Structures are given as structure tokens and as C-alpha cells.
Amino acid sequence: MHFLSFMSPLLFAVVGRAVVGPGVVTGDISVHDPTMCKDDSGTYFIFSTAPGIEIRTSTDRTRWTLIGRVWPNGASWTDAYTGTSNGNLWAPDCTYKNGEFYLYYSASSFGSQNSAIFFAKSSIGLPGSWENEGLVTSTSSSNNYNAIDPK
């Protein structure tokens, strides 16, 4: 029992320092549905819902800079799902593995079952460097579920 009372403060000190928060977050931080990846150089990337999917970067998770869009010239292959030219692409999901960024993203419009999920890849994650790998799944009004929010 004496051993545990001695070890408790030590364990708390070690565990309490295991993850350090980034501090006060500044810069261009207005995002919706963000996802974060970190590349091998230590740069953090946030991808978020917007026309073309916005990209922000930071080296310290504190100071963020909007650097552009995944699709700076629009993503015309999604227009049939967003119902407009260069519409919002929703809820991206990023993974960084083996020197490659992988990004899933949704295209739809509010209240519609005409929805799709797409997949893209990039070796550097910067605006305009992405390759559309195509459609993953989609739904239409004839389905009794939605591709982006299946029940």
C-alpha cells in the first residue's frame, strides 16, 4: 500500500505530461467539418468543408494559414451531386501514410439523397497537387438511405 501511495504522484506526472496541447490557436481558423493530417516533415494539414475543400497548414498546431484548396479550379465531377458548379464538398477525411495523403470527401446538397463519396490522393498535400481517384459510392432518390449518412 505504501508503494502505491508513493507511485501515484509519479504516475500522474508521467501520464500528465504524455500529451502536450498546442496552446492558443491563431490565424485562419474558421473551419467546418475539419480533418487533420501530419506529414513526414512535421507539417500539419487541416482539410475542411468548402467549395474545392480548403487546406490550412501549421508547423506547431497553433498558427494556421489558409494556403488554398484541394481543387482550386473546381471539381466538375461533383456538380451532379452538389446541384451547382463548384459547390461545397463536405466532411473530408484525411489519412497520411507512407508519404502519401489520402482524402475521402462527400458531395451532396441539403435534404437530397443524390449524394456521393469520392477519393483523392496527393504526395505533397498542397493545392492543385491532388489526383481524383474517382467515385467510391453514391445514392439517388430511389435509395432508402443516403451515401453520406447511411442508417
Side-chain angles (χ1 to χ4, degrees):
M1 202 54 105
H2 178 56
F3 175 75
L4 287 177
S5 64
F6 168 74
M7 290 301 292
S8 293
L10 180 60
L11 286 173
F12 178 75
V14 171
V15 172
R17 295 175 193 256
V19 177
V20 177
V24 177
V25 179
T26 63
D28 193 327
I29 57 173
S30 179
V31 298
H32 188 68
D33 299 327
T35 183
M36 186 187 309
C37 286
K38 180 182 175 185
D39 71 9
D40 290 333
S41 73
T43 299
Y44 294 89
F45 289 75
I46 286 183
F47 301 91
S48 61
T49 294
I53 305 172
E54 291 183 340
I55 306 171
R56 288 167 176 77
T57 59
S58 174
T59 56
D60 61 7
R61 293 184 304 147
T62 301
R63 292 177 302 275
W64 291 94
T65 303
L66 176 63
I67 62 167
R69 299 174 188 275
V70 168
W71 311 114
N73 299 316
S76 60
W77 57 92
T78 66
D79 292 353
Y81 299 96
T82 62
T84 186
S85 177
N86 199 25
N88 273 336
L89 300 177
W90 297 350
D93 183 64
C94 176
T95 299
Y96 182 81
K97 186 174 181 177
N98 300 324
E100 191 90 35
F101 287 88
Y102 302 94
L103 192 69
Y104 290 90
Y105 57 98
S106 305
S108 190
S109 60
F110 286 105
S112 170
Q113 284 181 273
N114 187 31
S115 306
I117 297 175
F118 292 90
F119 177 60
K121 293 191 324 187
S122 171
S123 61
I124 59 175
L126 297 176
S129 70
W130 293 83
E131 291 186 36
N132 175 38
E133 298 292 328
L135 179 70
V136 174
T137 189
S138 66
T139 52
S140 68
S141 59
S142 65
N143 296 107
N144 64 356
Y145 64 96
N146 192 314
I148 62 172
D149 291 317
K151 291 182 181 180

